[in-house]
Amino acid sequence: VLPPGTDTPAFREELAGGWADMNKRLGPDIILNPESFSYGFVGRAEVAPGWTRVPEVLRNSARSYYLRSGHEDEPNLLRAVGRLRPTREGLNPRIYFYGGGYMYALAAWTAVGAALTPARLVRGVVWYMEDPARMAWLYRLGRAFSAFAYLAVAWLLYSTGARFFSPEAGLAAAALWAASPGFVVQAHYMKPHLMGAFFTLAAYRLAAEALEGGPRWGVLAGAAAGLAAGSVNHLGSAAV
């Protein structure tokens, strides 16, 4: 919690300026810079008690109160989405631990969501820092995308079970998925694994359809495997 009287327009402008300076210093591939994973100091940092102005060593932490969520990956994903532009260079989100397929889908979902909800897409961070609820709406949209993928997997499990076995088998598969704690947890955070699970399962389903329906189903299965890899890198090999 920031000390009383700290949350002022001038202080937020300083934090925004520090954000811009940090991005300029660390470069476009900020996620690869070792400093991104440091605390801004080496060893021990000491701050004398009784301060009324946030010390420099705590500025990044103070900015986190305004901009970050409770999950370490989510702010990086929003930052990557914010980088995307309709140009060849602009299509590189410069985030390398999750796939571009998820990033593009999340960007499209966020754009549509911003048109239908109170969420707004504004350049820079100052506007969001004026009221953290504004940033919270962007996190809500990203988490809603995960929840949508979670429900889509449940539907696909039911559909696949009903297609190849029986409606009861499909219902059982969907129920087991819906009740699995690990998947329920993932449905509450902005992460790509549930979208990847959907396309991995879709690849299996389409490959099974190819056994009866011919090569065109196999082509679709390959596309689904590619989309799985575009969600989370290691899921490409799982689908294949």
PDB file of all heavy atoms in Angstrom, residues 31-59:
ATOM      1  N   ILE A  31      12.181  -8.634 -22.812  1.00  0.00           N
ATOM      2  CA  ILE A  31      11.967  -9.878 -22.095  1.00  0.00           C
ATOM      3  C   ILE A  31      13.231 -10.735 -22.076  1.00  0.00           C
ATOM      4  O   ILE A  31      13.381 -11.622 -21.231  1.00  0.00           O
ATOM      5  CB  ILE A  31      10.781 -10.652 -22.730  1.00  0.00           C
ATOM      6  CG1 ILE A  31      10.214 -11.672 -21.739  1.00  0.00           C
ATOM      7  CG2 ILE A  31      11.212 -11.326 -24.018  1.00  0.00           C
ATOM      8  CD1 ILE A  31       9.496 -11.056 -20.580  1.00  0.00           C
ATOM      9  N   LEU A  32      14.167 -10.493 -23.013  1.00  0.00           N
ATOM     10  CA  LEU A  32      15.411 -11.260 -23.070  1.00  0.00           C
ATOM     11  C   LEU A  32      16.524 -10.614 -22.262  1.00  0.00           C
ATOM     12  O   LEU A  32      17.577 -11.231 -22.071  1.00  0.00           O
ATOM     13  CB  LEU A  32      15.877 -11.412 -24.524  1.00  0.00           C
ATOM     14  CG  LEU A  32      14.918 -12.137 -25.470  1.00  0.00           C
ATOM     15  CD1 LEU A  32      15.523 -12.216 -26.864  1.00  0.00           C
ATOM     16  CD2 LEU A  32      14.585 -13.529 -24.954  1.00  0.00           C
ATOM     17  N   ASN A  33      16.319  -9.391 -21.811  1.00  0.00           N
ATOM     18  CA  ASN A  33      17.366  -8.697 -21.071  1.00  0.00           C
ATOM     19  C   ASN A  33      17.416  -9.211 -19.638  1.00  0.00           C
ATOM     20  O   ASN A  33      16.394  -9.257 -18.958  1.00  0.00           O
ATOM     21  CB  ASN A  33      17.077  -7.196 -21.087  1.00  0.00           C
ATOM     22  CG  ASN A  33      18.271  -6.386 -20.633  1.00  0.00           C
ATOM     23  OD1 ASN A  33      18.761  -6.547 -19.515  1.00  0.00           O
ATOM     24  ND2 ASN A  33      18.743  -5.506 -21.514  1.00  0.00           N
ATOM     25  N   PRO A  34      18.618  -9.623 -19.160  1.00  0.00           N
ATOM     26  CA  PRO A  34      18.714 -10.156 -17.795  1.00  0.00           C
ATOM     27  C   PRO A  34      18.185  -9.197 -16.741  1.00  0.00           C
ATOM     28  O   PRO A  34      17.689  -9.624 -15.695  1.00  0.00           O
ATOM     29  CB  PRO A  34      20.219 -10.396 -17.621  1.00  0.00           C
ATOM     30  CG  PRO A  34      20.741 -10.572 -19.013  1.00  0.00           C
ATOM     31  CD  PRO A  34      19.906  -9.660 -19.868  1.00  0.00           C
ATOM     32  N   GLU A  35      18.264  -7.906 -17.009  1.00  0.00           N
ATOM     33  CA  GLU A  35      17.787  -6.939 -16.022  1.00  0.00           C
ATOM     34  C   GLU A  35      16.287  -7.043 -15.803  1.00  0.00           C
ATOM     35  O   GLU A  35      15.766  -6.647 -14.751  1.00  0.00           O
ATOM     36  CB  GLU A  35      18.158  -5.516 -16.454  1.00  0.00           C
ATOM     37  CG  GLU A  35      17.887  -4.464 -15.382  1.00  0.00           C
ATOM     38  CD  GLU A  35      18.321  -3.077 -15.794  1.00  0.00           C
ATOM     39  OE1 GLU A  35      19.261  -2.965 -16.615  1.00  0.00           O
ATOM     40  OE2 GLU A  35      17.727  -2.109 -15.305  1.00  0.00           O
ATOM     41  N   SER A  36      15.579  -7.592 -16.790  1.00  0.00           N
ATOM     42  CA  SER A  36      14.128  -7.736 -16.633  1.00  0.00           C
ATOM     43  C   SER A  36      13.786  -8.679 -15.495  1.00  0.00           C
ATOM     44  O   SER A  36      12.690  -8.612 -14.929  1.00  0.00           O
ATOM     45  CB  SER A  36      13.505  -8.267 -17.924  1.00  0.00           C
ATOM     46  OG  SER A  36      13.711  -7.377 -18.990  1.00  0.00           O
ATOM     47  N   PHE A  37      14.706  -9.562 -15.154  1.00  0.00           N
ATOM     48  CA  PHE A  37      14.447 -10.552 -14.125  1.00  0.00           C
ATOM     49  C   PHE A  37      15.195 -10.239 -12.831  1.00  0.00           C
ATOM     50  O   PHE A  37      15.311 -11.071 -11.954  1.00  0.00           O
ATOM     51  CB  PHE A  37      14.844 -11.940 -14.629  1.00  0.00           C
ATOM     52  CG  PHE A  37      14.077 -12.347 -15.847  1.00  0.00           C
ATOM     53  CD1 PHE A  37      14.599 -12.130 -17.117  1.00  0.00           C
ATOM     54  CD2 PHE A  37      12.825 -12.924 -15.738  1.00  0.00           C
ATOM     55  CE1 PHE A  37      13.879 -12.488 -18.245  1.00  0.00           C
ATOM     56  CE2 PHE A  37      12.103 -13.291 -16.862  1.00  0.00           C
ATOM     57  CZ  PHE A  37      12.635 -13.072 -18.115  1.00  0.00           C
ATOM     58  N   SER A  38      15.730  -9.031 -12.725  1.00  0.00           N
ATOM     59  CA  SER A  38      16.415  -8.613 -11.506  1.00  0.00           C
ATOM     60  C   SER A  38      15.521  -7.670 -10.726  1.00  0.00           C
ATOM     61  O   SER A  38      14.475  -7.232 -11.187  1.00  0.00           O
ATOM     62  CB  SER A  38      17.742  -7.936 -11.844  1.00  0.00           C
ATOM     63  OG  SER A  38      17.515  -6.640 -12.367  1.00  0.00           O
ATOM     64  N   TYR A  39      15.956  -7.325  -9.545  1.00  0.00           N
ATOM     65  CA  TYR A  39      15.191  -6.414  -8.697  1.00  0.00           C
ATOM     66  C   TYR A  39      15.699  -4.980  -8.797  1.00  0.00           C
ATOM     67  O   TYR A  39      15.293  -4.119  -8.030  1.00  0.00           O
ATOM     68  CB  TYR A  39      15.248  -6.885  -7.238  1.00  0.00           C
ATOM     69  CG  TYR A  39      14.614  -8.228  -7.040  1.00  0.00           C
ATOM     70  CD1 TYR A  39      15.391  -9.383  -6.966  1.00  0.00           C
ATOM     71  CD2 TYR A  39      13.232  -8.354  -6.978  1.00  0.00           C
ATOM     72  CE1 TYR A  39      14.796 -10.626  -6.795  1.00  0.00           C
ATOM     73  CE2 TYR A  39      12.633  -9.598  -6.818  1.00  0.00           C
ATOM     74  CZ  TYR A  39      13.422 -10.725  -6.723  1.00  0.00           C
ATOM     75  OH  TYR A  39      12.847 -11.956  -6.569  1.00  0.00           O
ATOM     76  N   GLY A  40      16.623  -4.733  -9.729  1.00  0.00           N
ATOM     77  CA  GLY A  40      17.126  -3.384  -9.898  1.00  0.00           C
ATOM     78  C   GLY A  40      18.296  -3.071  -8.999  1.00  0.00           C
ATOM     79  O   GLY A  40      18.824  -1.961  -9.005  1.00  0.00           O
ATOM     80  N   PHE A  41      18.707  -4.044  -8.190  1.00  0.00           N
ATOM     81  CA  PHE A  41      19.873  -3.836  -7.341  1.00  0.00           C
ATOM     82  C   PHE A  41      20.532  -5.181  -7.080  1.00  0.00           C
ATOM     83  O   PHE A  41      19.930  -6.230  -7.280  1.00  0.00           O
ATOM     84  CB  PHE A  41      19.492  -3.163  -6.017  1.00  0.00           C
ATOM     85  CG  PHE A  41      18.438  -3.904  -5.244  1.00  0.00           C
ATOM     86  CD1 PHE A  41      18.764  -4.932  -4.385  1.00  0.00           C
ATOM     87  CD2 PHE A  41      17.100  -3.559  -5.387  1.00  0.00           C
ATOM     88  CE1 PHE A  41      17.783  -5.617  -3.670  1.00  0.00           C
ATOM     89  CE2 PHE A  41      16.113  -4.242  -4.686  1.00  0.00           C
ATOM     90  CZ  PHE A  41      16.454  -5.265  -3.824  1.00  0.00           C
ATOM     91  N   VAL A  42      21.767  -5.160  -6.657  1.00  0.00           N
ATOM     92  CA  VAL A  42      22.532  -6.375  -6.380  1.00  0.00           C
ATOM     93  C   VAL A  42      22.824  -6.417  -4.882  1.00  0.00           C
ATOM     94  O   VAL A  42      23.222  -5.408  -4.290  1.00  0.00           O
ATOM     95  CB  VAL A  42      23.848  -6.401  -7.179  1.00  0.00           C
ATOM     96  CG1 VAL A  42      24.652  -7.642  -6.834  1.00  0.00           C
ATOM     97  CG2 VAL A  42      23.551  -6.351  -8.677  1.00  0.00           C
ATOM     98  N   GLY A  43      22.636  -7.567  -4.289  1.00  0.00           N
ATOM     99  CA  GLY A  43      22.905  -7.686  -2.869  1.00  0.00           C
ATOM    100  C   GLY A  43      21.764  -7.134  -2.038  1.00  0.00           C
ATOM    101  O   GLY A  43      20.599  -7.426  -2.276  1.00  0.00           O
ATOM    102  N   ARG A  44      22.111  -6.269  -1.083  1.00  0.00           N
ATOM    103  CA  ARG A  44      21.119  -5.748  -0.149  1.00  0.00           C
ATOM    104  C   ARG A  44      20.889  -4.268  -0.398  1.00  0.00           C
ATOM    105  O   ARG A  44      21.819  -3.506  -0.644  1.00  0.00           O
ATOM    106  CB  ARG A  44      21.616  -5.959   1.284  1.00  0.00           C
ATOM    107  CG  ARG A  44      20.619  -5.521   2.353  1.00  0.00           C
ATOM    108  CD  ARG A  44      21.164  -5.790   3.735  1.00  0.00           C
ATOM    109  NE  ARG A  44      22.342  -4.968   3.990  1.00  0.00           N
ATOM    110  CZ  ARG A  44      23.083  -5.077   5.091  1.00  0.00           C
ATOM    111  NH1 ARG A  44      22.784  -5.998   6.006  1.00  0.00           N
ATOM    112  NH2 ARG A  44      24.132  -4.299   5.269  1.00  0.00           N
ATOM    113  N   ALA A  45      19.644  -3.878  -0.358  1.00  0.00           N
ATOM    114  CA  ALA A  45      19.303  -2.465  -0.495  1.00  0.00           C
ATOM    115  C   ALA A  45      18.679  -1.991   0.814  1.00  0.00           C
ATOM    116  O   ALA A  45      17.827  -2.676   1.389  1.00  0.00           O
ATOM    117  CB  ALA A  45      18.339  -2.247  -1.644  1.00  0.00           C
ATOM    118  N   GLU A  46      19.109  -0.858   1.277  1.00  0.00           N
ATOM    119  CA  GLU A  46      18.593  -0.321   2.533  1.00  0.00           C
ATOM    120  C   GLU A  46      17.943   1.037   2.279  1.00  0.00           C
ATOM    121  O   GLU A  46      18.470   1.857   1.531  1.00  0.00           O
ATOM    122  CB  GLU A  46      19.720  -0.160   3.561  1.00  0.00           C
ATOM    123  CG  GLU A  46      20.348  -1.496   3.971  1.00  0.00           C
ATOM    124  CD  GLU A  46      21.396  -1.312   5.052  1.00  0.00           C
ATOM    125  OE1 GLU A  46      21.583  -0.142   5.500  1.00  0.00           O
ATOM    126  OE2 GLU A  46      22.033  -2.300   5.428  1.00  0.00           O
ATOM    127  N   VAL A  47      16.819   1.249   2.898  1.00  0.00           N
ATOM    128  CA  VAL A  47      16.099   2.517   2.803  1.00  0.00           C
ATOM    129  C   VAL A  47      15.808   2.990   4.217  1.00  0.00           C
ATOM    130  O   VAL A  47      15.253   2.233   5.029  1.00  0.00           O
ATOM    131  CB  VAL A  47      14.789   2.365   2.007  1.00  0.00           C
ATOM    132  CG1 VAL A  47      14.028   3.675   1.983  1.00  0.00           C
ATOM    133  CG2 VAL A  47      15.065   1.878   0.596  1.00  0.00           C
ATOM    134  N   ALA A  48      16.179   4.195   4.515  1.00  0.00           N
ATOM    135  CA  ALA A  48      15.948   4.727   5.856  1.00  0.00           C
ATOM    136  C   ALA A  48      14.453   4.843   6.120  1.00  0.00           C
ATOM    137  O   ALA A  48      13.681   5.189   5.213  1.00  0.00           O
ATOM    138  CB  ALA A  48      16.619   6.090   6.001  1.00  0.00           C
ATOM    139  N   PRO A  49      14.002   4.547   7.326  1.00  0.00           N
ATOM    140  CA  PRO A  49      12.567   4.636   7.634  1.00  0.00           C
ATOM    141  C   PRO A  49      12.087   6.086   7.665  1.00  0.00           C
ATOM    142  O   PRO A  49      12.887   7.022   7.732  1.00  0.00           O
ATOM    143  CB  PRO A  49      12.480   4.000   9.027  1.00  0.00           C
ATOM    144  CG  PRO A  49      13.825   4.224   9.634  1.00  0.00           C
ATOM    145  CD  PRO A  49      14.800   4.126   8.497  1.00  0.00           C
ATOM    146  N   GLY A  50      10.791   6.211   7.598  1.00  0.00           N
ATOM    147  CA  GLY A  50      10.190   7.526   7.714  1.00  0.00           C
ATOM    148  C   GLY A  50      10.069   8.294   6.413  1.00  0.00           C
ATOM    149  O   GLY A  50       9.711   9.475   6.431  1.00  0.00           O
ATOM    150  N   TRP A  51      10.335   7.646   5.278  1.00  0.00           N
ATOM    151  CA  TRP A  51      10.272   8.371   4.012  1.00  0.00           C
ATOM    152  C   TRP A  51       8.824   8.668   3.625  1.00  0.00           C
ATOM    153  O   TRP A  51       7.912   7.915   3.946  1.00  0.00           O
ATOM    154  CB  TRP A  51      10.986   7.592   2.903  1.00  0.00           C
ATOM    155  CG  TRP A  51      10.579   6.154   2.742  1.00  0.00           C
ATOM    156  CD1 TRP A  51      11.159   5.063   3.292  1.00  0.00           C
ATOM    157  CD2 TRP A  51       9.476   5.653   1.959  1.00  0.00           C
ATOM    158  NE1 TRP A  51      10.504   3.922   2.916  1.00  0.00           N
ATOM    159  CE2 TRP A  51       9.469   4.255   2.097  1.00  0.00           C
ATOM    160  CE3 TRP A  51       8.509   6.265   1.167  1.00  0.00           C
ATOM    161  CZ2 TRP A  51       8.540   3.443   1.476  1.00  0.00           C
ATOM    162  CZ3 TRP A  51       7.571   5.465   0.538  1.00  0.00           C
ATOM    163  CH2 TRP A  51       7.586   4.073   0.693  1.00  0.00           C
ATOM    164  N   THR A  52       8.641   9.771   2.978  1.00  0.00           N
ATOM    165  CA  THR A  52       7.323  10.175   2.470  1.00  0.00           C
ATOM    166  C   THR A  52       7.294  10.193   0.949  1.00  0.00           C
ATOM    167  O   THR A  52       6.227  10.273   0.359  1.00  0.00           O
ATOM    168  CB  THR A  52       6.944  11.569   3.001  1.00  0.00           C
ATOM    169  OG1 THR A  52       7.961  12.506   2.626  1.00  0.00           O
ATOM    170  CG2 THR A  52       6.811  11.541   4.526  1.00  0.00           C
ATOM    171  N   ARG A  53       8.436  10.129   0.327  1.00  0.00           N
ATOM    172  CA  ARG A  53       8.556  10.055  -1.121  1.00  0.00           C
ATOM    173  C   ARG A  53       9.147   8.695  -1.467  1.00  0.00           C
ATOM    174  O   ARG A  53      10.177   8.305  -0.912  1.00  0.00           O
ATOM    175  CB  ARG A  53       9.458  11.178  -1.643  1.00  0.00           C
ATOM    176  CG  ARG A  53       9.669  11.178  -3.134  1.00  0.00           C
ATOM    177  CD  ARG A  53      10.587  12.349  -3.526  1.00  0.00           C
ATOM    178  NE  ARG A  53      10.952  12.305  -4.925  1.00  0.00           N
ATOM    179  CZ  ARG A  53      10.212  12.771  -5.911  1.00  0.00           C
ATOM    180  NH1 ARG A  53       9.044  13.333  -5.622  1.00  0.00           N
ATOM    181  NH2 ARG A  53      10.603  12.706  -7.165  1.00  0.00           N
ATOM    182  N   VAL A  54       8.502   7.958  -2.366  1.00  0.00           N
ATOM    183  CA  VAL A  54       8.925   6.588  -2.669  1.00  0.00           C
ATOM    184  C   VAL A  54      10.368   6.591  -3.167  1.00  0.00           C
ATOM    185  O   VAL A  54      10.681   7.258  -4.165  1.00  0.00           O
ATOM    186  CB  VAL A  54       8.008   5.950  -3.729  1.00  0.00           C
ATOM    187  CG1 VAL A  54       8.488   4.549  -4.079  1.00  0.00           C
ATOM    188  CG2 VAL A  54       6.576   5.903  -3.223  1.00  0.00           C
ATOM    189  N   PRO A  55      11.281   5.872  -2.493  1.00  0.00           N
ATOM    190  CA  PRO A  55      12.684   5.827  -2.929  1.00  0.00           C
ATOM    191  C   PRO A  55      12.819   5.223  -4.324  1.00  0.00           C
ATOM    192  O   PRO A  55      11.979   4.429  -4.760  1.00  0.00           O
ATOM    193  CB  PRO A  55      13.348   4.939  -1.875  1.00  0.00           C
ATOM    194  CG  PRO A  55      12.424   4.948  -0.709  1.00  0.00           C
ATOM    195  CD  PRO A  55      11.047   5.089  -1.279  1.00  0.00           C
ATOM    196  N   GLU A  56      13.884   5.578  -4.995  1.00  0.00           N
ATOM    197  CA  GLU A  56      14.110   5.110  -6.359  1.00  0.00           C
ATOM    198  C   GLU A  56      14.120   3.595  -6.441  1.00  0.00           C
ATOM    199  O   GLU A  56      13.605   3.004  -7.399  1.00  0.00           O
ATOM    200  CB  GLU A  56      15.424   5.682  -6.886  1.00  0.00           C
ATOM    201  CG  GLU A  56      15.680   5.401  -8.364  1.00  0.00           C
ATOM    202  CD  GLU A  56      14.666   6.078  -9.279  1.00  0.00           C
ATOM    203  OE1 GLU A  56      14.205   7.190  -8.923  1.00  0.00           O
ATOM    204  OE2 GLU A  56      14.340   5.507 -10.339  1.00  0.00           O
ATOM    205  N   VAL A  57      14.702   2.938  -5.437  1.00  0.00           N
ATOM    206  CA  VAL A  57      14.832   1.487  -5.492  1.00  0.00           C
ATOM    207  C   VAL A  57      13.470   0.791  -5.407  1.00  0.00           C
ATOM    208  O   VAL A  57      13.344  -0.386  -5.753  1.00  0.00           O
ATOM    209  CB  VAL A  57      15.763   0.996  -4.352  1.00  0.00           C
ATOM    210  CG1 VAL A  57      15.060   1.084  -2.997  1.00  0.00           C
ATOM    211  CG2 VAL A  57      16.261  -0.410  -4.618  1.00  0.00           C
ATOM    212  N   LEU A  58      12.452   1.516  -4.979  1.00  0.00           N
ATOM    213  CA  LEU A  58      11.112   0.928  -4.870  1.00  0.00           C
ATOM    214  C   LEU A  58      10.163   1.395  -5.973  1.00  0.00           C
ATOM    215  O   LEU A  58       8.982   1.052  -5.957  1.00  0.00           O
ATOM    216  CB  LEU A  58      10.507   1.276  -3.501  1.00  0.00           C
ATOM    217  CG  LEU A  58      11.247   0.740  -2.272  1.00  0.00           C
ATOM    218  CD1 LEU A  58      10.557   1.202  -0.993  1.00  0.00           C
ATOM    219  CD2 LEU A  58      11.344  -0.779  -2.300  1.00  0.00           C
ATOM    220  N   ARG A  59      10.671   2.166  -6.923  1.00  0.00           N
ATOM    221  CA  ARG A  59       9.781   2.728  -7.941  1.00  0.00           C
ATOM    222  C   ARG A  59       9.141   1.649  -8.817  1.00  0.00           C
ATOM    223  O   ARG A  59       7.951   1.722  -9.133  1.00  0.00           O
ATOM    224  CB  ARG A  59      10.549   3.729  -8.823  1.00  0.00           C
ATOM    225  CG  ARG A  59      10.957   5.001  -8.085  1.00  0.00           C
ATOM    226  CD  ARG A  59       9.718   5.793  -7.681  1.00  0.00           C
ATOM    227  NE  ARG A  59      10.021   6.976  -6.906  1.00  0.00           N
ATOM    228  CZ  ARG A  59      10.211   8.184  -7.423  1.00  0.00           C
ATOM    229  NH1 ARG A  59      10.127   8.365  -8.734  1.00  0.00           N
ATOM    230  NH2 ARG A  59      10.471   9.208  -6.648  1.00  0.00           N
TER     231      ARG A  59
END
